[in-house]
């Protein structure tokens, strides 16, 4: 089966868990910006956790399903209509052959994830089906999806949840998105970086007490933060050092940049902080104009929060599998 793009949306790409193990060759991991939402989308259609999904940013595409399909949409809450009928988010849905799925604006969050049973049958590049827009690697030559593209889906065994038919159907249950979406926009946990002490006294204080705003110039490589300007005590001349998603850099403008999924593997700006990994999906769901504040954390606290989040995610994934098996 293929899914045809009638309209591309603002930014739509194919993403899986990322391309890991190639940093020594200068290649970052890419992958879904909100990994828990990607995994939950796959679980809702009975896919393996490593299947690729469509990542949709702020405004969605219009898709044509030539054959019947089972899908789910998680992540940011987006308007979606199948042949004019409202499609519920965070649950499993059946689309009959010929369905036109129109996805509009996002009511909450910044990125949604569309899974299809069987996954997307794009060829892996260096072990991953993720699109790295910065490096131009992955499906469609490493570019975003555009109108006219036809994306193949993988093969999957028939499921007992839907008997088929000519109407859109949804399961009678779904997931609560609140534990996985950043509704409160609480402060994000930040560890001190290697060059934190190079900040002047006022900037060290402002990093954890000031308020930043996400710039409209942000992308999958990094979130640019505007508002509070930070300064070094003295200029630094640095050689490039390792950087990863979550690294908070300070360029000469004094406006920090938080690296994201397509982060370069090295960088020459001072590294003043490191975002706790558990808060990366929360940052990924904030849109331009949203506020960002930081609270200081320790490595032990950050690791404990990540373990607790992952444990809760694994329990939910198992529960979804059990409910689908009993449907």
């Amino acid at each position: 089966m293929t899914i045809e793009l009638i309209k591309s949306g603002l930014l739509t790409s194919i993403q899986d868990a990322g391309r890991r193990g190639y940093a020594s060759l200068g290649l970052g991991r890419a992958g879904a910006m909100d990994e828990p939402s990607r995994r939950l989308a796959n679980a809702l259609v009975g896919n393996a956790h490593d299947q690729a999904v469509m990542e949709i940013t702020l405004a969605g595409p219009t898709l044509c399903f030539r054959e019947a399909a089972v899908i789910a949409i998680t992540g940011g809450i987006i308007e979606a209509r199948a042949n004019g009928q409202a499609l519920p988010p965070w649950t499993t849905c059946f689309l009959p052959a010929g369905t036109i799925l129109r996805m509009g604006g996002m009511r909450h969050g910044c990125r949604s994830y569309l899974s299809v049973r069987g996954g997307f049958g794009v060829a892996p590049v260096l072990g991953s089906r993720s699109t790295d827009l910065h490096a131009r690697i992955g499906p469609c030559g490493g570019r975003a999806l555009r109108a006219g593209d036809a994306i193949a889906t993988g093969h999957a065994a028939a499921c007992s949840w839907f008997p088929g038919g000519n109407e859109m159907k949804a399961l009678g249950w779904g997931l609560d998105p609140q534990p996985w979406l950043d509704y409160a926009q609480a402060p994000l946990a930040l560890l001190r970086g290697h060059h934190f002490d190079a900040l002047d006294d006022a900037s060290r204080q402002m990093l954890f007490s000031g308020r930043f705003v996400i710039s409209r110039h942000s992308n999958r490589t990094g979130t640019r933060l505007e508002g509070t300007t930070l300064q070094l005590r003295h200029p630094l001349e640095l050689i490039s050092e390792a950087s990863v998603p979550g690294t908070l850099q300070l360029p000469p403008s004094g406006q920090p940049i938080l690296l994201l999924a397509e982060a370069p593997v090295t960088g020459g700006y001072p590294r003043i902080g490191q975002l706790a990994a558990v808060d990366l999906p929360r940052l990924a769901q904030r849109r331009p104009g949203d506020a960002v504040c930081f609270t200081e954390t320790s490595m032990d606290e950050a690791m404990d929060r990540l373990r607790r989040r992952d444990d809760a995610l694994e329990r939910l994934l198992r529960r979804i599998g059990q409910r689908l098996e009993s449907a």
Side-chain angles (χ1 to χ4, degrees), residues 105-124:
M106 212 162 288
R107 300 196 303 273
H108 178 83
C110 186
R111 293 173 173 90
S112 294
Y113 294 87
L114 169 68
S115 63
V116 59
R117 182 165 170 82
F120 291 98
V122 296

Side-chain angles (χ1 to χ4, degrees), residues 58-105:
L58 288 175
T62 297
L63 309 172
C64 177
F65 291 77
R66 294 297 184 189
E67 300 177 35
V70 175
I71 70 162
I73 302 171
T74 62
I77 307 302
I78 191 170
E79 178 185 359
R81 305 187 74 86
N83 292 340
Q85 184 177 355
L87 200 69
W90 288 77
T91 191
T92 312
C93 300
F94 169 80
L95 303 183
T99 294
I100 302 296
L101 175 60
R102 290 183 170 86
M103 305 178 73

Side-chain angles (χ1 to χ4, degrees), residues 32-314:
M33 295 272 282
D34 181 349
E35 180 64 6
S37 289
R38 184 195 71 85
R39 293 194 64 185
L40 290 167
N42 272 322
L44 283 168
V45 297
N47 282 348
H49 69 87
D50 59 349
Q51 289 286 0
V53 300
M54 277 190 187
E55 182 179 89
I56 298 154
T57 304
L58 288 175
T62 297
L63 309 172
C64 177
F65 291 77
R66 294 297 184 189
E67 300 177 35
V70 175
I71 70 162
I73 302 171
T74 62
I77 307 302
I78 191 170
E79 178 185 359
R81 305 187 74 86
N83 292 340
Q85 184 177 355
L87 200 69
W90 288 77
T91 191
T92 312
C93 300
F94 169 80
L95 303 183
T99 294
I100 302 296
L101 175 60
R102 290 183 170 86
M103 305 178 73
M106 212 162 288
R107 300 196 303 273
H108 178 83
C110 186
R111 293 173 173 90
S112 294
Y113 294 87
L114 169 68
S115 63
V116 59
R117 182 165 170 82
F120 291 98
V122 296
V125 177
L126 297 177
S128 171
R129 293 180 170 85
S130 284
T131 306
D132 189 327
L133 301 170
H134 180 76
R136 296 290 181 182
I137 292 174
C140 302
R143 61 165 171 80
L145 299 178
R146 61 191 181 203
D149 285 340
I151 307 299
T153 61
H155 298 287
C159 61
S160 59
W161 323 323
F162 299 109
N166 297 316
E167 296 181 357
M168 189 276 288
K169 301 180 182 70
L171 289 182
W173 57 271
L175 304 181
D176 179 5
Q178 294 225 46
W180 308 101
L181 291 182
D182 190 26
Y183 284 97
Q185 295 196 351
L188 304 175
L190 188 75
L191 290 85
R192 295 188 181 194
H194 183 67
H195 300 111
F196 175 82
D197 289 336
L199 294 169
D200 64 25
D201 293 343
S203 295
R204 289 200 298 271
Q205 180 179 359
M206 288 302 295
L207 180 59
F208 293 114
S209 64
R211 178 181 183 273
F212 302 90
V213 174
I214 294 179
S215 167
R216 63 185 179 88
H217 299 295
S218 302
N219 53 31
R220 281 178 44 86
T221 299
T223 291
R224 294 180 176 271
L225 301 177
E226 299 175 340
T228 301
T229 300
L230 305 179
Q231 295 181 343
L232 302 174
R233 286 179 296 161
H234 305 288
L236 293 177
E237 292 188 13
L238 303 173
I239 61 172
S240 290
E241 297 181 340
S243 58
V244 295
T247 297
L248 183 65
Q249 297 182 323
L250 186 65
S253 67
Q255 302 287 281
I257 300 173
L258 245 172
L259 299 181
L260 298 176
E262 294 185 12
V265 299
T266 59
Y269 293 142
R271 295 175 290 123
I272 60 173
Q274 180 68 38
L275 189 70
V278 70
D279 282 342
L280 277 169
R282 296 177 59 210
L283 178 65
Q285 290 296 354
R286 297 194 189 180
R287 60 177 77 202
D290 283 350
V292 171
C293 299
F294 297 112
T295 184
E296 188 171 3
T297 192
S298 67
M299 180 65 75
D300 287 344
E301 183 180 9
M303 293 297 295
D304 181 63
R305 287 184 61 214
L306 182 62
R307 281 192 294 267
R308 286 189 280 116
R309 195 281 310 274
D310 286 348
D311 287 345
L313 178 59
E314 290 297 333

